[in-house]
Amino acid sequence: MLRIVTLTTDFGTGSVYVAQLKAAILRASMPPTLVDIAHDLPAHDIRTASWIVGQACLAFPAGSLHIVVVDPGVGTARRIVWARLGEQEFLCPDNGVLSWALARASLAEARALEVPASAAATFHGRDVLAPAAVRLLDGEPPDALGPALASLVRLPWPEPRESAAGIEGEVIHVDAFGNLVTNLPATLWPRVAAAGGLHLGGHEITTLVRTYGDAATGTAVALVGSQGLIEAAVVEGRADLRLTAAVGTPVSIR
Amino acid sequence: MLRIVTLTTDFGTGSVYVAQLKAAILRASMPPTLVDIAHDLPAHDIRTASWIVGQACLAFPAGSLHIVVVDPGVGTARRIVWARLGEQEFLCPDNGVLSWALARASLAEARALEVPASAAATFHGRDVLAPAAVRLLDGEPPDALGPALASLVRLPWPEPRESAAGIEGEVIHVDAFGNLVTNLPATLWPRVAAAGGLHLGGHEITTLVRTYGDAATGTAVALVGSQGLIEAAVVEGRADLRLTAAVGTPVSIR
Amino acid sequence: MLRIVTLTTDFGTGSVYVAQLKAAILRASMPPTLVDIAHDLPAHDIRTASWIVGQACLAFPAGSLHIVVVDPGVGTARRIVWARLGEQEFLCPDNGVLSWALARASLAEARALEVPASAAATFHGRDVLAPAAVRLLDGEPPDALGPALASLVRLPWPEPRESAAGIEGEVIHVDAFGNLVTNLPATLWPRVAAAGGLHLGGHEITTLVRTYGDAATGTAVALVGSQGLIEAAVVEGRADLRLTAAVGTPVSIR
């Protein structure tokens, strides 16, 4: 079986940079199965990338290699690393882009990559990460890549807070349908049911359902979503527009 | 040769859902060649998906497996199925998404899939279709997937109508160039030629050509398109904007 | 190892045309590794396609086959060709789409493809180029594809000009970050340094850096970019918006 290599960047779809990154990886003598996760992430947005990476990459078969290039500090003093979390391997800048993955799988090993003098200062994806991927694909052990690191940069992550008034959280992702994914885990769903609903921005959502189609078109609903998190949605509509919500909009169970 | 698995969804490009769907399929012991057909289909738009699926999937080599997830009714009582049409296999909700394919290839066999209790109610693509794909890729026969079905849901499809005034049809697809694909089959082209043109919305198109470059830039033309259907186009321009047309705009040969 | 076939088109992401092109290529008895370079190129824009092709395709492993379909003259008298430039092979219309690649790698061989009578006049990608790719993938020699050609169409390319006032060039590409790639090669960087900056549109950029992160957020900077060309950028911002620049905006070193 071919090894799987996934790619997550903010380079833009149809970007010459994505093509050059793939071209460099395909120089391996045992070329991998390439899987594009996303190339249209918001530019320089490490937090959004971190959520996508944590949700998507950890789902792949054990031993997959994930290359993540959202790297506003490319070429500066920030480290660039190989890391193993659980059964997944990553090649990425050490800028917090693994924060959400690190909250869900423990760091088993990490290595600081050397930056060759010939690397373009603005494109370490092509000139540092892809060559490291080729070395791994061709069978070199990770410890040949550079010195061991004990930890990686982690961005503070918005965690739900319990207060006298109830539980406070926020929207952490808006999907392509406009569904609002919150940071409230599915384990809090009985609390939502007991409270009779969810507060989101200035709205109260009292229609609690198992799936989107369980209410009439246009109804604002709350449910346990497929990512293991509580979501707000509008049946066959866009909750982000209807509820004027975005990443960061407060959510609470009172 | 690796088996081909295509993916057609409304999840959005760069969606975590597409990545999780691929991750689940790649758990097969004989991983396939994955081909993305479209992930940016209009949300919940079964008719548009149906046209794309009919035109694109039937063109693949015999034995390809097509996963289609445009599924506003996910988790409700709508069935979720495996089907063989001609030499192609499909895994999809039974919501009409195969309507156009069923008009072009006959249904050879269909099976209703069981939904495991552990499946997320909102993501049957990942939790029902992908595991069924893995079973097929690993060599299980389709009849192990569930009970046989005699027929599938078919949406009414806009067919050309002959009237005293002539032949009436409509635009059924607008491509990325703004070309207007109608539901008038290529076999009606001699009627267009005899009539001296095509009526589309409030416009009469009298420049009949073999290909886009056969008239001056900016000219509105009619032609037999590459999909076996009559099209209207504007040379190196956008017919949808120039003729203020969209899916559903009436077309006629008088 | 599977042979690599890349695809560069203006068909649009999620287009039925891309799917049909892939379906036709996958009919090869030795199916290749397919790599999408871009499908969202501006419609009919041969110059933009030419730049992307030159930068991206030449980076692939030797022997890769690149299919390029930006083809406003499809079905007209323009030739459709196979060509080898350096160690890369191309299948494309002979309309200038290889101009930038031809400036960077020499033409080793070219063949004019025959257009079968059954080919749709509007879709030579599917009906001429894909079948030619299948023949090559299945082991036929290129000279079986058609008569040899001595040269290919080359569009005039904007080259930097030396004048009494200095060196004059222009922006030739705007990437997804809004960075402005100019036609001034990296070898001119010492001249930029000696002049103390770069003129771009009505702006003077005097902050010269090695990488984007070497100046404060929001600063307009000039640097040697990863494509071997001098770039203007705004740190963690969009230079195209901030400097009101686009492809064609004049650049100079005075």
Side-chain angles (χ1 to χ4, degrees):
Chain A
M1 184 197 152
L2 295 174
R3 192 157 175 200
I4 295 164
V5 173
T6 79
L7 302 175
T8 306
T9 78
D10 59 357
F11 292 164
T13 58
S15 163
V16 76
Y17 308 135
V18 175
Q20 291 178 349
L21 181 58
K22 290 180 181 178
I25 294 166
L26 289 168
R27 294 189 172 276
S29 53
M30 297 178 57
T33 295
L34 287 174
V35 177
D36 294 299
I37 289 186
H39 295 297
D40 52 1
L41 292 178
H44 317 305
D45 184 341
I46 295 169
R47 182 177 296 281
T48 293
S50 170
W51 193 80
I52 298 283
V53 164
Q55 293 299 117
C57 296
L58 297 183
F60 275 80
S64 297
L65 178 62
H66 306 282
I67 299 180
V68 185
V69 198
V70 176
D71 192 11
V74 59
T76 64
R78 70 92 187 82
R79 289 185 298 206
I80 186 157
V81 299
W82 169 89
R84 180 156 48 214
L85 277 70
E87 299 183 304
Q88 308 292 328
E89 296 181 38
F90 294 84
L91 284 165
C92 57
D94 184 23
N95 61 6
V97 84
L98 295 184
S99 297
W100 181 240
L102 285 164
R104 301 178 71 225
S106 58
L107 181 65
E109 189 182 352
R111 300 274 162 185
L113 305 179
E114 279 173 53
V115 177
S118 61
T122 58
F123 198 177
H124 284 188
R126 179 190 67 189
D127 294 347
V128 183
L129 298 182
V134 168
R135 290 172 66 182
L136 293 168
L137 291 166
D138 285 353
E140 268 194 68
D143 57 13
L145 295 177
L149 295 171
S151 67
L152 298 176
V153 170
R154 285 181 69 168
L155 299 177
W157 200 264
E159 299 289 346
R161 299 175 310 281
E162 180 105 41
S163 71
I167 297 170
E168 311 282 331
E170 62 186 70
V171 172
I172 57 169
H173 179 67
V174 181
D175 73 16
F177 300 99
N179 298 328
L180 307 168
V181 181
T182 76
N183 63 346
L184 304 177
T187 49
L188 289 175
W189 187 245
R191 300 277 296 264
V192 176
L198 192 69
H199 293 261
L200 190 148
H203 300 270
E204 191 174 354
I205 301 170
T206 56
T207 304
L208 308 184
V209 296
R210 199 180 55 87
T211 187
Y212 309 120
D214 284 344
T217 298
T219 312
V221 299
L223 71 166
V224 174
S226 65
Q227 303 305 302
L229 297 166
I230 293 171
E231 288 181 22
V234 165
V235 180
E236 296 197 43
R238 293 195 64 96
D240 57 342
L241 301 182
R242 181 60 187 289
L243 305 176
T244 325
V247 170
T249 297
V251 182
S252 62
I253 308 167
R254 288 178 203 161
Chain B
M1 184 196 153
L2 295 173
R3 193 158 174 199
I4 294 164
V5 173
T6 79
L7 303 175
T8 307
T9 78
D10 59 356
F11 292 164
T13 57
S15 162
V16 75
Y17 308 136
V18 175
Q20 290 178 350
L21 182 58
K22 290 181 180 178
I25 294 165
L26 288 169
R27 295 188 171 276
S29 52
M30 296 177 57
T33 295
L34 287 174
V35 177
D36 295 299
I37 289 186
H39 295 297
D40 51 2
L41 293 177
H44 317 305
D45 184 341
I46 295 168
R47 183 177 294 280
T48 293
S50 170
W51 193 80
I52 298 283
V53 164
Q55 293 298 117
C57 296
L58 297 183
F60 276 80
S64 296
L65 177 62
H66 306 282
I67 299 180
V68 185
V69 198
V70 176
D71 193 11
V74 59
T76 64
R78 70 93 188 82
R79 290 185 300 206
I80 185 157
V81 300
W82 169 89
R84 181 155 48 213
L85 276 70
E87 299 183 303
Q88 306 293 328
E89 297 181 39
F90 295 85
L91 284 165
C92 57
D94 184 23
N95 61 6
V97 83
L98 296 184
S99 297
W100 182 242
L102 285 163
R104 302 178 70 224
S106 59
L107 182 65
E109 188 183 353
R111 300 274 163 184
L113 304 178
E114 279 175 54
V115 177
S118 60
T122 57
F123 198 177
H124 284 188
R126 178 190 66 189
D127 294 347
V128 182
L129 298 181
V134 168
R135 289 171 65 183
L136 294 167
L137 291 167
D138 285 352
E140 269 194 68
D143 57 12
L145 295 177
L149 294 171
S151 67
L152 297 175
V153 170
R154 284 180 69 168
L155 300 177
W157 200 264
E159 299 290 347
R161 299 174 309 283
E162 179 104 41
S163 72
I167 298 170
E168 311 281 332
E170 62 186 69
V171 173
I172 57 169
H173 179 67
V174 181
D175 73 15
F177 300 98
N179 297 329
L180 307 168
V181 181
T182 77
N183 64 344
L184 303 177
T187 50
L188 290 175
W189 187 245
R191 300 278 296 264
V192 177
L198 192 70
H199 293 261
L200 190 147
H203 301 269
E204 192 175 351
I205 302 170
T206 55
T207 304
L208 308 182
V209 295
R210 201 181 54 87
T211 187
Y212 309 121
D214 283 345
T217 297
T219 312
V221 299
L223 72 167
V224 174
S226 66
Q227 304 305 301
L229 297 165
I230 293 171
E231 289 181 22
V234 165
V235 179
E236 296 197 42
R238 294 195 63 96
D240 57 342
L241 301 181
R242 180 62 185 288
L243 305 176
T244 326
V247 170
T249 297
V251 181
S252 63
I253 308 167
R254 289 179 200 159
Chain C
M1 185 197 152
L2 296 173
R3 192 158 174 199
I4 295 164
V5 174
T6 79
L7 302 175
T8 307
T9 78
D10 60 356
F11 292 164
T13 58
S15 163
V16 76
Y17 309 134
V18 175
Q20 291 178 351
L21 181 59
K22 290 181 181 177
I25 295 165
L26 289 169
R27 295 188 172 276
S29 54
M30 296 179 57
T33 295
L34 287 174
V35 177
D36 295 298
I37 289 187
H39 296 298
D40 51 2
L41 292 178
H44 317 304
D45 184 341
I46 295 168
R47 181 176 296 280
T48 293
S50 170
W51 193 80
I52 298 283
V53 164
Q55 294 298 117
C57 297
L58 296 183
F60 275 81
S64 296
L65 177 62
H66 306 282
I67 299 180
V68 184
V69 199
V70 175
D71 193 10
V74 60
T76 64
R78 70 92 189 81
R79 291 185 299 206
I80 185 158
V81 300
W82 169 89
R84 181 156 46 214
L85 276 70
E87 299 183 303
Q88 308 292 329
E89 295 181 39
F90 294 85
L91 285 165
C92 57
D94 184 23
N95 61 6
V97 84
L98 296 184
S99 297
W100 182 240
L102 286 163
R104 301 178 70 224
S106 59
L107 182 65
E109 188 182 354
R111 300 274 163 185
L113 304 179
E114 278 174 54
V115 177
S118 61
T122 58
F123 198 177
H124 284 187
R126 178 190 66 190
D127 295 346
V128 182
L129 298 182
V134 167
R135 290 171 65 184
L136 293 168
L137 291 168
D138 286 352
E140 268 194 68
D143 57 12
L145 295 177
L149 295 171
S151 66
L152 297 175
V153 170
R154 284 180 70 168
L155 299 177
W157 201 263
E159 299 290 346
R161 298 175 309 283
E162 179 104 41
S163 72
I167 297 170
E168 311 282 331
E170 62 186 71
V171 173
I172 57 169
H173 180 67
V174 181
D175 73 15
F177 301 98
N179 298 328
L180 307 167
V181 182
T182 77
N183 64 345
L184 304 178
T187 49
L188 289 175
W189 186 246
R191 299 277 295 263
V192 176
L198 192 68
H199 293 261
L200 191 146
H203 301 269
E204 192 176 353
I205 302 170
T206 55
T207 305
L208 308 184
V209 295
R210 200 181 53 88
T211 187
Y212 308 121
D214 283 344
T217 297
T219 312
V221 298
L223 71 167
V224 174
S226 65
Q227 305 305 302
L229 297 165
I230 293 171
E231 289 181 22
V234 165
V235 180
E236 295 197 43
R238 293 195 64 96
D240 57 343
L241 301 181
R242 180 59 188 289
L243 305 177
T244 325
V247 170
T249 297
V251 181
S252 63
I253 308 167
R254 288 179 203 161

